[in-house]
Structure formats: C-alpha cells, structure tokens
C-alpha cells in the first residue's frame, strides 16, 4: 500500500483544481468580511451574538444574490475580550485584505482596532456604545446603534420631568461599558440639576446585590439609575422587589432587555429604559428577526445580534451608494446616508448615518409591564 | 440598627454558600493535597446539569439527584482518576496548576455547550417583614440547607466508621493503612463528598446568582478565601470562614468604598495567611523544613 | 536543556530566525512575533521566580501592568522610551521586593493565594485610580519610540530586548546567584547552613522576576498602542504561569517554548474556531500528566532517544 | 588552647518532654568531640539548639566566648560554624564541583561581585582541591544526584569544609557509609582537622568510628551528660554501658 509522493501530489492538485473550479465560473469576486468579536472571555455574552447576527445577515444577503452580484464571506476572529489579542487578530484580518471589518463590541478592542483599520482605509462597523469611541474623529469607524451620548440624555429628562425625582441613586457596573455610562450620566445629571445622592460601583459577576440595595434603601432616593449587564440587572431587580423597595427604576437598555426580563422572573416590571433598537422593539421586522434567529441558533438574540445583522445592511447600502464594491470609498459613501428598510430589509428600521460615524435609527422609551417591554414613546431619527 | 441586621443576615446567607464550597475545597486539600483552582467552576457544572434535566421535564428535586450522580462521577471520580492520581506524584503545585487549566477547560466547555448567556434558575420567592427588617425565604433556605449539610457532614465524619476512616486517612495515610483502612477508597469518597457539596451549592446559589459559564471565577475566589480564613486543615473552619467572609464582604460593600469591594476578601485573605496561616479554627501546622 | 550555557546559542538563534522570518511575513505574524517576545520576557522573569527559585507568583501580570502604565503615562511627557522602561522595571523591582516578603513567611499554596490576592488588588488600583491610569477607558494612542515606529522595526526592538534579557538571565543563572536560587528552591534549610542568605535571595528572586515583568510591560504598551486595566488582571497571570509550566518550569528554554505555544496555538487551531481555548486547557493537563517538565522535557527525551550515546538528560524538578 | 564552643546548662523542653535537660560542655580548639548516646537521648535536639535550628528553652551557647544563643543558622555560618545533616543534603541537580562551589561562594567577595564576577566565584581551584582531598576528583563533573550513596556522603561532608570553618558539627557522618569507605573517610576527617586547625563535634552511632576518630567523647542520656572524657574511658564507663543496655 505505498503511494509515491509524486502521485499523491498530483492527486491532491487535481482535487484542488476540481474544488476551486466552480469559483472560476463565478461572475464576481467574493467580498471578504472580517468579524473580530469577543468569542471567549468575559465579553463572550455579547461577542458571540454579534458574530451570529453578522453571519445571519451575510447569509440573508447572499441568499438574495449578494451585494451587486458579489457574494459575501465572513470570517470570525476571537479577540478573547482582550485588546492585545484584538490587535493581533485585526492585523490578521487586515493582512487578508478584507472588504470591511464588522466588529468588535468592547470599547478597548474597538479602540485598538480602529487605529489599524483607519490606517488601512478599511471601513469598520462595530457594536460599541461607549461615548468616547466616535469622539476620536476616525472617518472609517461606524456604530450600529445609538451611543451612550444619545441614550442617556432622554433618561435624564425622564427622571427630571416625569418622575420628578428629588434624589437619584446610581448603580453601575465598573467596567468599560458601565463606567463610561456612569461618567456620562453623572455629568449630564449635574448639568440638568438632578440630585444624585449615591453612586454605587458594582462588579461584573457580583454574587449578591444585597449591600447595594440596602445602601440604596438607606439613601431613600426616589429613583435608581441602573447601568449594568443583563444578568446583574436581573440580580439587582430580584433583590429590589423582594425587599419591597419603591424607587422608580430607570436604566440603560439592558434594564428592559428581553434577557434581563427573562432572568429577573418578573422583577423587572415597572423598569424604564431608553433603548435603541432591541429585540423587544415592537417592530414586525425585528420580531420576525428574533424568531428566525432563535430558530437558527437556539438562543435569544439581544441587541448585539440585531446590531450585527444591521451592520450587514449598512454594508449593502454603502456599496450601493458607491455604485461599486470598493473598500476605499465605502466609508465616505456611508457618511450622511439614510438607509431605509424598503430598500434594505436587513436594516429593519430607518437609519441615518451621521458625520462622525454615529448613527441614529431612533429609540424607544420603554417600560416593562407584565414581563413585556411596552413602548411609552418612540423617538424617531432626527 | 435594622440596616445592620439586614446586612448581617444577607451576609450570612451568601456566606453559607461560600462555606459549602469552601468545605469541599478544604476536604480535598486535606484528604489528598488537592488545591482545586477550578472549585468555582465545579459549582457551575452541576447547575447546568440541573437546568438540563429540568428542561427535559424532570422536577427540580429529581434534576438535583441527576446532577448529584453526574457530579459524583465526573467531578468526583473522573477528576480523581484522570487528573489527581496521575499528576499528584509530580507535586501538589503541579496539580494546582493543572486545575487552573481545568478551569479553562470547564469554562470554555460550558461556553461552547450552553452559550454565553446567563440562564434563570428556579428558586424560592417571597419573604417576610419583621418590622423594618426584611427576610427573604431564599436566604433562609440557603442558611438552613447549608447549615444542615455541614452538620450532617460533621456527624458523618465524627460518628460513622467511614467518616472516621476518612479523617484517619487524611491525617496519616501510613498509620491508616496499618489500621487496615483502604486509604485510596477513602480519598475517592472525599472527592465524591466534594462533588455533592458543590452540587448542593449549585442548587442554593443559582437562584440568586443565575447560571452562566464564567460564574465560577468570582465564587471560586470567595471560596478559597473562606477556606483559608477558616483554616485550611479544618473542615469546620471553612464554615466559620465562609460565614465570616460573607458578612465582612457585605459590610464592606455597604459601608466602604464600593469600587474596592473586591479588595476586602483579598485583604482578609492576606492578613490571615501572613499572621494566622492556620486560620481561625485550624491547628498550627508544622512549618515546612 | 536545563543547562543555560548549552542552550544559549539555541535561544539566540531562535530569536534571529524569528526576526528574519518576521521580516518576510505579513504584519500579523510580525505582531505575533513581537507579542511572543514580550510574553517571553515576562515568562523568563516568572521562571526565575518560580522555576529556579521555587517561589510561586500569581502576580506577574501586575508587574507587566506597572511597566506598561509607567511607559504609557510617561511617554507623552517627553520622557524617552529607554528611561520609561527603566522606571517601569525599577517600580516593578521595588514592588517585587514587597511581594517577596510574604514568601518569607509562607510557601506553596499559601504563597499562591497571597500573590493572587495582591494581583487582584493591583488590578483594582489600575481600574479605580482613574486620575492616574485613566481607569476603564484605558490609555490610547501610545506612541512607539522613534525609530521603531513600523511593525517590523518594533518587532526588532522587542526581539533585541528579549536577546538582552536572555543574555542577562543566562548570565544570572550561571553566576553564583543562579546557584543560590537553585539551592533556595531545593533545600532552603541546607542553603542557610551553607551561608546562603535565604531571605535576601528570596526577595531578589521576586524582585528580578518582577522587574522583567516590568520590562515586558514597557514593551507591551507601545506594541498594542493601547492599554486598559483588564489586560493586567488575573487571566494574564494564569496565562504566564501556564506558559512557564507548558514550556518547562525551571528550564532555560521553557519560557520561550511555552510562550510560542500560547501565542501560536490559537493560530494552529484556528480551524477549530471556538474550541481552541478548550483544547489548550486539555493540552496543558495532558502535559502535566505525561511530561511534567513541559515541552522542553518532551524535546529533551526525543533528543536523548535520537542520540543514545549522549549524556543522559537530567530530570527537571 | 582556647575554648571554641561552650554550652552552659542548656535546656530544651517540648511540652512536658525534657529533650535536653541541663547540658554543659566545652570544646577546645582542634578537638574532635564525639557525642554518643542511645536513640532519643537528646543528641539531635542538642545539635539543633547549638546550631540555631531551634531556640533553647534555657541556657547559653557561647562561640569564642561570645553569646550566640538562639542565633540563626545563617548568622552562625557567617561566624565560621559549619554543619552536615543526618540525612543527605547535597544538591542533586548540581555537579559535585558545583556543590562545593555553592558551599563556598557566599563566603568570599560581595553580593554584587557574585552577580557580576566570575561564575565560579573563583572557587574552582579550591573545589578541585577539596575533591582531591575527599577522593572525588573522578566524579567532579557528574551530577551529585547520580553519585553513589557513599560518594554523596563524602561530598556532603566536604561541603562543610569549603568555607574554611572554625567549628564543624557533623551529624552522623558515617551513617549508611559502607565499611570499605569508612576507613578512608575517617582519614579524610582527621586530615581536615589536622591541616585546617578546625574543631569538630560529631554525633555518631558507629562506636568504632567514633572511638577511632575522636579525641574526646561525651555520652548523653535522657537529656543529660552522663560521661565526658577520653574515648576509652567513656567506652568502659559503667554508666554509659548501663544507659545503652538499660533501654
């Protein structure tokens, strides 16, 4: 049973030719999409969904014939929720000359990536929400959702004008997401004349929120501004209800997120949040997406999956605006663009891309009622 | 005053869980010099098993029994056979490092199998107000169950033949062998006991903590600290250490700077190791010469 | 593989090959090689502390952090990179001495826990003292020192630094200090009876290991050009410890090989996507079961088998 | 002749057990004092008290007339006290020569010189000389762990002499050494004593070895000195015989 190496080599090359043959008949080149995401480490909660959202978007676009005849091919890279690794994988991605970069989500990783994609002139559409990300003046960096600078002010107005809170307690998770939100909230609250009496830092993965709650209870604030991840929100709110506390709960989009509602087992009722597009948004397109995603990945998509999905639509619209699939002109084409679902179903709701890379696709003032997120007010793109 | 009592009670409840996990941790280190850095992840594994069994329609108590069996087999016997037995001869530190690797394996295994999302876990709702003090049934049940488990364990260790044989094996394997005790089997039982303790801890902590692939990190750190504070070589010490840690942590988070709340157990740990390495209840060990 | 004088050419040769290869490869590989060099410096430090002096430390990541923050914070003030590197190393050296004090009282697992606790506290300081460290938002746009601004040039800087560190460690290990470290690890009581000042050498073992962590941090900051506290938390300490153990604790080449495995494995296992960390963990466990002296042990045994006439390979502890 | 080491009414109690119970003796320069006694008589505890391994409960230890009671082993070593242990304590991963260099390196030059100076601290010649003295030259480059037990025992003893000590305490140097080596071992120790001018205290069970090596022998039983004098006198002392037979 000895096969000479030369025969083996010939066999292999024949196979390779056969395998690549269909590609030769394809009319147009495949657009390579690099997807750096937090697939392991503490950010896996968001990164995995982001990647799945992007992948699903790519499939949907390819099923409709791709973008201007180009099929898309996505390659995911694990940043391990670690900027140093993120820097490595984005370099790997850029070495492969991708058409665009979709991701990552965590601020640190975005900041590291953004410097390199900008230098390479590659458009990066990412999932980060921290306020500082688009403040750097990077012309090739885009968000897929409202930033904190867009979502926090409506909540401050709500606390001031609707709750008429005389005193507010703030609870935030002390990581890049929560701290950035807290800093913004504290500054804006001060400007608005809101009286924040307690400001409590918590840890991601904190076992119990009892001390935090007791502190809030002792401070007797009218309202609590809660800025934390879904599972910590759930822990906080369960304790809050059990202790029979009465303060109004107002918080970041996670407070009224489907995952937090599910985990808190009813305790989230009454919580108010201002959120960009999320899985609880009462849009038929979104709800249809949620169903399809759940069927495909056997897990509930949060806003990160939706953001990833919409990122593909932004790509589509950008290329169409350019008139051809060119990586260089993509970013310029995206600035100032308005993307509508009638032309780009993946965008699901109209989105305006602003000059600094922020986007505006509207948001909802939401209240959790009976285990469901109910829209109090829709604020469309300005 | 009511704040004080409230902080104390919730501290005891969370401390009781630390105590359970720390007790298992001490058992292993006593019985087989296994310092298990994956102990926190050992709590998350049975939590997922309970959820899985529950999702197939089993009631929670039956799911718990399924998890007990799975944990005893995988986290008890397999862990001992496949990791501890081959690596311990190379050194206790080598084994500890291997458990760090095991922690990576378990966390990423759960991440791949169950996803990155947290899962809700059935628990006991409600509670009662005593004046201004509120006591929730979940905390009460945790305290009761943990205390019952530890008392039962102590009775088992002190009053039964097997229990005494386990203690003898841990204290002096050679002597125990001379007395005709099957030391290897006693060590295996220790591992199974640890598996049972973490499974119980999973049942108790998950309603509060939820179930997520990386939950073991925080809870494991707390359990190590509790074990050392109480006294590494004393099973009873782990209980006192756990309760003390839970209470101190709660008080620090309530009255201290919250940004540094995680520093408190660490400071406690450092102080104990440096100034009372035998822990609160532990016997002074002969210094290594 | 344990005797530094025999393998020094091997180590330096490896660096040269890595550099030459990097110069021909894509920026990604260049970055990986730089990262490997940086991690190796840190792992060499930890290997001195753990492998040669026998003192376990789970705080090596904190020292990388001190070095990284010193450089990232001082560079914008016009302090030259060489100076920031020395300052970072000096800070780590001094704090390393402090870390060594617990080791005078406790050993083994207790020491592991004390260093773990201190590392946790160091991370909290990095994160919370944002007036100094910029907290969770991190420090961005850290400039690379002229003329090492390009990826390849910076890689050579990292490799050059690693070469210097390698020479330094080699010198140290064959000096009386290296002998004293080994004596400290193997038998502190006997060492003391021979006039070896166990206390001072223990502190030095920590301080030198920490200082190398600081050096590696100083190189790390301008490499990624961005740092944030979570990079210097416990996972990095564990990862560095695993590098030392996987490579072969207490062997000269161990850190080089351990860091290669850690940096290159995700690349090798890329086709397995989400599973590589899982597989990495399993590989570490298998190594500890079958080759407690790590990759170096495997290679040494293979070499011994190929050259049966050669001197038998000494066992590593 | 001056007194090198003196113990004054040393006590060491472990709970109720009086392991050392009022031991006094003096060792003069150049002497080889043998310490014998039945198992559990307190010899090892006495050694540990003398060497700072454990502090005595009461009493004094004087070195060259200076009080060194409770002084740490390292400090005593700096003052020229050297020792071997009952169990083998060579460094198996170093070569025989390296073991000797290690034993001498901390006694010459400054710490900085030890880092930046020569890797052998200038001790290769001294080590080679010592290897020759102990008939170990042929195994100089082998790892100590690979030597025979007798060779390791010789190396262990040789290490005690590397720093040119004033006083050497040997804990069962002949233990486990096979008969054929014993004679030459004894000669080595004699020669070291003669040429180095150092003073020895030797704990030993092998009576023949003690009697032929030592200039004076002291017997300890139940924590007390029961005989102290010329080897032959002690050997024939009825209390000594009683102490050995009585147990």
């Amino acid at each position: 049973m000895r096969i000479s190496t030369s025969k083996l080599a010939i066999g292999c090359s024949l196979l390779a030719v056969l395998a690549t043959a269909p590609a030769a008949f394809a009319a147009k080149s495949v657009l390579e999409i690099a997807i750096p995401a937090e697939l392991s480490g503490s950010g896996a909660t968001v990164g995995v969904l982001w990647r799945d959202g992007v992948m699903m978007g790519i499939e949907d676009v390819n099923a409709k014939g791709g973008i201007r005849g180009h099929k898309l091919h996505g390659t995911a890279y694990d940043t391990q929720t670690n900027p140093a690794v993120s820097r490595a994988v984005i370099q790997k991605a850029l070495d492969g000359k991708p058409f665009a970069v979709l991701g990552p989500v965590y601020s640190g990783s975005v900041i590291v990536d953004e410097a390199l994609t900008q230098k390479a002139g590659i458009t990066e559409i990412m999932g980060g929400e921290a306020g500082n990300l688009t403040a750097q003046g990077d012309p090739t960096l885009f968000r897929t959702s409202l930033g904190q600078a867009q979502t926090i002010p409506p909540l401050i107005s709500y606390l001031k004008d609707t709750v008429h809170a005389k005193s507010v307690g703030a609870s935030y998770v002390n990581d890049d997401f929560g701290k950035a939100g807290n800093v913004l909230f504290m500054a804006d609250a001060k400007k608005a004349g809101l009286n924040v009496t307690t400001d409590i830092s918590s840890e991601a993965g904190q076992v119990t929120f009892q001390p935090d709650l007791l502190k809030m209870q002792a401070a007797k604030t009218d309202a609590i501004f809660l800025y934390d991840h879904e599972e910590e929100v759930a822990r906080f709110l369960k304790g809050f209800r059990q202790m029979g506390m009465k303060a109004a709960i107002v918080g970041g989009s996670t407070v009224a997120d489907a995952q937090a509602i599910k985990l808190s087992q009813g305790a989230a009722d009454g919580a108010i949040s201002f959120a960009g597009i999320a899985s609880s948004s009462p849009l038929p397109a979104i709800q249809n997406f949620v169903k399809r995603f759940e069927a495909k990945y056997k897990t509930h998509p949060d806003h990160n999956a939706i953001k990833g999905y919409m990122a593909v639509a932004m790509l589509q619209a950008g290329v169409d605006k350019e008139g051809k699939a060119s990586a260089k002109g993509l970013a310029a084409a995206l600035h100032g663009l308005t993307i509508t679902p009638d032309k780009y179903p993946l965008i699901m709701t109209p989105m305006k891309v602003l000059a600094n890379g922020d986007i505006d696709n509207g948001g909802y003032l939401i209240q959790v009622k009976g285990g469901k997120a109910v829209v109090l007010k829709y604020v469309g793109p300005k | 005053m009511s704040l004080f009592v409230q902080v104390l009670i919730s501290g005891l409840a969370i401390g009781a869980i630390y105590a359970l996990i720390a007790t298992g941790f001490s058992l292993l280190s006593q019985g087989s010099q296994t310092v298990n850095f994956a102990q926190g992840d050992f709590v998350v594994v049975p939590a997922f098993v309970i959820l899985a069994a529950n999702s197939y329609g089993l009631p929670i108590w039956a799911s718990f029994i399924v998890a007990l069996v799975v944990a005893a087999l995988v986290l008890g016997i397999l862990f001992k056979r496949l990791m501890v037995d081959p690596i311990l001869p190379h050194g206790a530190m080598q084994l500890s490092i291997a458990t760090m690797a095991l922690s990576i394996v378990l966390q990423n295994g759960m991440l791949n199998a169950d996803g990155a999302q947290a899962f809700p876990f059935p628990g006991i709702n409600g509670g009662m107000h005593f004046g201004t003090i509120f006591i929730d049934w979940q905390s009460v049940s945790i305290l009761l169950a943990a205390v019952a488990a530890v008392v039962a364990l102590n009775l088992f260790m002190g009053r039964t033949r097997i229990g005494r044989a386990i203690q003898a094996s841990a204290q002096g394997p050679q002597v125990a062998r001379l007395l005709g005790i099957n030391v290897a089997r006693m060590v295996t039982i220790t591992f199974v006991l640890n598996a049972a303790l973490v499974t119980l801890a999973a049942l108790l902590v998950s309603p509060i903590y939820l179930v997520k692939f990386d939950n073991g990190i925080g809870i494991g750190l707390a359990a190590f600290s509790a074990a050392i504070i109480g006294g590494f070589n004393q099973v009873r010490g782990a209980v006192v250490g756990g309760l003390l840690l839970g209470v101190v942590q709660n008080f620090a988070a309530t009255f201290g700077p919250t940004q540094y709340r995680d520093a408190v157990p660490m400071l406690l740990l450092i102080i104990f190791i440096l100034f009372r390495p035998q822990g609160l209840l532990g016997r002074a060990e002969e210094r290594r010469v | 593989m344990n005797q530094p004088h025999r393998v020094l050419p091997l180590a330096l040769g490896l660096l040269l090959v890595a550099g030459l290869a990097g110069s021909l490869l894509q920026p990604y590989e260049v970055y990986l090689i730089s990262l490997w060099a940086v991690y190796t410096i840190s792992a060499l430090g930890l290997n001195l502390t753990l492998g040669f002096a026998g003192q376990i430390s789970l705080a090596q990541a904190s020292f990388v952090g001190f070095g990284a923050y010193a450089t990232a914070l001082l560079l914008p003030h016009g302090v030259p990179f060489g100076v920031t590197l020395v300052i970072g190393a000096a800070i780590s050296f001094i704090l390393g001495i402090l870390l060594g004090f617990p080791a005078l009282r406790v050993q083994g697992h207790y020491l592991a826990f004390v260093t773990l606790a201190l590392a946790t506290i160091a991370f909290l300081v990095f994160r919370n003292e944002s007036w100094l460290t910029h907290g969770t938002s991190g420090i961005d746009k850290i400039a690379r020192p002229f003329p090492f601004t390009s990826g390849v040039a910076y890689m050579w800087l990292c490799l050059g630094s690693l070469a210097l560190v390698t020479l330094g460690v080699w010198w140290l290990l064959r000096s009386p200090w290296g002998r004293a470290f080994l004596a400290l690890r193997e038998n502190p009581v006997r060492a003391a009876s021979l006039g070896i000042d166990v206390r001072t050498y223990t502190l030095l073992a920590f301080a030198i290991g920490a200082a190398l962590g600081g050096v590696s941090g100083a190189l790390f900051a301008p490499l990624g050009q961005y740092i944030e506290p979570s990079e210097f938390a416990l996972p990095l300490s564990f990862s560095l410890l695993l590098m030392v153990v996987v490579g072969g604790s207490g062997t000269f080449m161990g850190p080089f090989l351990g860091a290669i495995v850690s940096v290159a494995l995700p690349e090798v296992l890329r086709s397995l996507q989400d599973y590589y960390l899982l597989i990495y963990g399993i590989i570490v466990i298998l190594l500890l079961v079958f080759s407690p002296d790590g990759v170096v042990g495997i290679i040494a045994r293979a070499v011994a088998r190929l050259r049966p006439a050669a001197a038998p390979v000494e066992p590593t502890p | 002749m001056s007194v090198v080491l003196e113990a004054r009414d040393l006590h060491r109690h472990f709970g109720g057990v009086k392991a050392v119970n009022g031991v006094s003796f003096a060792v003069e320069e150049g002497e080889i004092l043998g310490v014998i006694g039945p198992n559990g008589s307190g010899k090892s505890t006495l050694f540990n008290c003398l060497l700072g391994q454990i502090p005595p409960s009461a009493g004094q230890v004087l070195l060259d007339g200076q009080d060194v009671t409770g002084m740490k082993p390292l400090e005593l070593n700096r003052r020229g006290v050297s020792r071997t242990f009952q169990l083998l304590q060579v460094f198996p991963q170093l070569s025989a020569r390296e073991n000797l260099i290690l034993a001498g390196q901390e006694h010459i030059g400054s710490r900085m010189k030890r880092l930046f100076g020569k890797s052998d601290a200038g001790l290769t010649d001294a080590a080679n000389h010592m290897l020759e003295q102990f008939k170990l030259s042929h195994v100089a480059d082998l790892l100590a762990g690979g030597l025979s037990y007798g060779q390791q025992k010789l190396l262990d003893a040789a290490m005690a002499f590397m720093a040119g000590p004033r006083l050497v305490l040997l804990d069962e140097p002949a233990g486990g050494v096979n008969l054929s080596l014993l004679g030459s071992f004894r000669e080595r120790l004699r020669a070291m004593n003669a040429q180095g001018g150092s003073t020895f205290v030797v704990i030993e069970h092998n009576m023949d070895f003690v009697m032929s090596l030592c200039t004076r022998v002291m017997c300890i039983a139940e924590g007390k000195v029961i005989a102290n004098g010329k080897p032959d006198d002690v050997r024939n002392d009825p209390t000594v015989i009683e102490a050995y037979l009585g147990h």
Side-chain angles (χ1 to χ4, degrees), chain A residues 57-74:
Chain A
I58 288 175
E59 269 180 39
D60 286 359
V61 166
N62 283 345
K64 292 265 164 71
I67 302 180
R68 295 184 86 84
H70 297 274
K71 294 273 186 191
L72 303 181
H73 177 262

Side-chain angles (χ1 to χ4, degrees), chain C residues 142-275:
Chain C
I142 301 165
R144 286 179 180 172
F146 184 80
F148 303 104
T149 44
S150 78
V152 172
Y154 198 79
M155 174 194 73
W156 281 111
L157 178 67
C158 293
L159 288 172
S161 308
L162 174 56
L164 288 178
V165 167
T166 305
L167 281 170
V169 169
W170 167 77
W171 180 267
L172 178 79
L173 286 177
R174 62 191 284 281
S175 80
W177 282 31
R179 222 174 278 124
F181 284 156
L182 187 136
L184 184 69
R185 175 187 78 192
E186 291 301 306
N187 193 339
V189 174
R190 176 60 160 158
S193 84
L194 295 173
I196 292 161
D197 187 344
V198 170
R199 189 183 161 83
T200 307
Y201 277 116
T202 303
L203 296 180
L204 281 171
F206 271 99
I208 297 170
L212 290 184
V215 170
S216 116
L219 289 162
F220 179 84
L223 174 62
Q225 304 188 284
Y226 170 82
I227 55 170
E228 61 166 31
S230 67
E231 293 183 273
F232 311 111
L234 277 180
L236 178 61
S237 276
F238 284 125
S239 166
L240 289 167
L241 182 70
L242 292 183
M243 281 181 214
V244 171
V245 172
V246 165
S249 173
T251 63
F252 189 71
M253 288 302 288
F256 294 87
L257 302 179
I260 288 183
V261 173
S262 171
V263 171
L265 201 70
E267 194 48 32
V268 177
L269 299 180
R270 183 165 301 286
S271 56
L272 295 164
Q273 286 278 350
D274 303 353
Y275 292 94

Side-chain angles (χ1 to χ4, degrees), chain A residues 13 74 96 128 133 141 169 174 177 191 242 255 258 280 291 311 345 351 381:
Chain A
S13 11
L133 294 177
L141 185 70
N174 203 337
F177 156 78
K191 254 184 266 164
Q242 283 208 322
V255 167
S280 54
K291 273 201 203 85
M351 175 194 280

Side-chain angles (χ1 to χ4, degrees), chain B residues 25 33 35 37 82-83 86-87 90 92-102 104-106 108-110 112 221 224-225 228 231-233 258-263 266-267 269-270 273-275 277-278 285 287-289, chain C residues 50 56 58 101-114 116-118 120-121 124-129 184-185 188-189 234 238 241-242 245 249 274-275 277-278 280-282 284-285 288-292 317:
Chain B
F25 183 78
Q33 297 124 52
V35 173
F37 277 80
L82 297 183
M83 274 188 70
I87 299 179
H90 302 318
M93 197 49 80
Q94 300 274 356
L95 179 58
S96 299
I97 293 167
T99 62
M100 292 174 199
L102 179 64
I104 295 178
V105 170
L106 290 178
N108 286 281
M110 290 186 279
N112 289 325
L221 268 181
F224 306 152
S225 311
I228 286 169
F232 223 174
N233 51 17
T258 47
Q259 288 204 320
Y260 278 103
R261 64 170 81 209
D262 273 4
M266 296 296 121
L267 283 173
L269 178 72
I270 295 171
I273 290 183
L274 292 188
F275 301 107
Q278 73 272 32
E285 253 178 302
R287 268 290 177 70
R288 197 184 69 137
V289 175
Chain C
L50 171 73
I56 189 163
L58 286 173
F101 276 98
L104 300 175
R105 295 184 65 96
V106 292
Q107 287 281 309
H109 294 116
Y110 288 104
L111 186 57
F113 282 116
V114 176
L116 180 150
L118 287 168
T120 306
I121 292 170
L124 289 175
V125 171
F126 290 145
R127 186 193 69 180
N128 293 344
E129 302 310 317
L184 184 69
R185 175 187 78 192
V189 174
L234 277 180
F238 284 125
L241 182 70
L242 292 183
V245 172
S249 173
D274 303 353
Y275 292 94
L277 271 174
L278 184 76
Y280 179 60
I282 292 173
V284 174
I285 294 172
L288 284 162
V289 171
F290 295 108
S291 177

Side-chain angles (χ1 to χ4, degrees), chain D residues 3-234:
Chain D
V3 170
V4 177
L5 177 73
E6 189 182 350
R8 286 185 187 162
D9 196 26
L10 271 186
H11 288 262
R12 174 67 210 198
H13 304 166
F14 295 105
V17 180
K18 293 172 177 175
V20 175
N21 193 11
V23 169
S24 299
F25 67 94
V27 191
E28 294 195 351
E29 196 168 339
E31 261 195 306
I32 303 182
L33 173 68
V35 180
I36 60 169
N39 280 332
S41 59
K43 299 187 303 282
S44 288
T45 309
L46 174 64
F47 243 46
N48 284 333
C49 287
L50 293 175
L51 284 157
Q53 220 71 264
I54 51 174
S57 309
Q60 266 188 317
V61 181
L62 298 130
L63 185 69
D64 291 322
Q66 280 182 312
D67 188 355
V68 296
T69 317
M71 200 176 260
K72 292 265 176 275
L74 176 68
E75 198 51 41
L76 284 169
N77 182 264
R78 293 256 164 87
R79 289 169 181 244
V81 180
S82 188
R83 75 169 295 185
T84 66
F85 292 79
Q86 197 174 342
L87 298 173
L88 257 180
Q89 307 250 5
V90 298
F91 292 92
Q93 289 161 338
L94 295 177
S95 70
R97 187 185 290 114
E98 292 263 325
N99 264 288
L100 291 172
I101 293 174
L102 174 70
Q105 68 176 33
E106 300 296 315
H107 297 269
I108 51 167
S110 66
R111 179 163 286 119
M112 277 304 130
K113 207 168 165 205
R114 263 169 251 145
L115 177 59
F116 294 110
K118 286 188 180 154
S119 82
D120 66 351
L123 284 169
T124 298
D125 289 344
N128 286 342
H129 182 68
M130 191 64 75
L131 287 164
E132 219 168 280
Q133 295 256 308
F134 280 83
K135 305 269 186 277
L136 289 168
S137 297
H138 58 297
V139 294
D141 291 312
L142 297 187
L143 296 182
L147 304 183
S148 73
Y149 184 81
Q151 288 171 328
Q152 290 194 33
K153 204 74 188 171
L154 281 172
L155 179 62
D156 198 25
M159 285 165 77
F161 295 102
M162 268 307 282
R166 239 181 106 45
L167 175 69
V168 182
L169 288 91
L170 301 159
D171 197 346
E172 300 199 17
V177 179
N178 71 39
L179 283 172
S180 60
L181 260 174
L182 266 186
S184 76
F185 191 20
R186 183 177 55 228
E187 291 323 305
R188 285 307 97 220
L189 292 177
R190 274 245 175 89
M192 293 311 302
N193 177 248
Q195 66 185 356
S198 51
T199 309
F200 293 4
V201 179
V202 184
I203 291 187
E204 189 49 71
H205 277 298
N206 185 325
M207 279 300 167
D208 292 337
F209 190 80
V210 175
M211 296 303 164
S212 56
L213 174 68
C214 299
T215 55
R216 186 152 64 89
V217 171
M218 178 169 92
C219 180
I220 293 186
E222 293 178 347
K224 287 180 189 291
V225 179
I226 56 166
N228 190 349
K230 288 226 165 68
D232 285 339
D233 297 348
V234 172

Side-chain angles (χ1 to χ4, degrees), chain A residues 145-280:
Chain A
S145 66
L146 301 181
Q148 285 170 335
Q150 293 157 296
T151 52
I152 288 177
L155 290 171
I156 291 184
S157 320
Y158 182 85
L159 281 168
K160 201 162 168 251
D161 304 332
T162 312
V163 180
H164 300 293
K166 288 187 191 66
S167 64
V168 181
S171 170
Y172 67 99
V173 58
N174 203 337
D175 61 11
D176 58 343
F177 156 78
K179 182 73 186 176
N182 178 261
V183 168
L184 219 86
F185 172 77
M186 295 302 268
D188 285 1
K190 200 169 167 197
K191 254 184 266 164
L194 212 55
N195 182 21
V196 183
T197 54
T198 21
D199 186 20
I200 302 176
S201 146
S202 66
E203 302 292 334
Q206 187 170 306
V207 181
T208 169
F209 278 85
Q210 285 269 7
D212 312 59
L213 289 162
L214 291 167
K215 217 166 172 168
M216 286 288 183
Q217 198 177 38
K220 295 194 168 62
T221 56
D222 309 332
I224 293 173
F225 183 76
L226 183 56
Y227 213 80
D228 215 324
H229 300 294
E230 287 85 347
E231 52 270 29
E232 282 81 13
V233 162
R235 279 178 222 147
F236 186 98
L237 291 178
K238 279 172 85 172
F240 178 85
R241 295 295 167 216
Q242 283 208 322
M243 287 170 63
M245 289 169 67
K246 293 283 177 279
I249 296 282
V250 176
S253 63
T254 51
V255 167
D257 179 273
Q259 170 75 354
I261 294 173
K262 181 176 98 180
L263 292 176
S264 61
Q265 294 161 316
D269 272 13
I272 301 270
S273 109
F274 183 84
I277 302 305
S279 60
S280 54

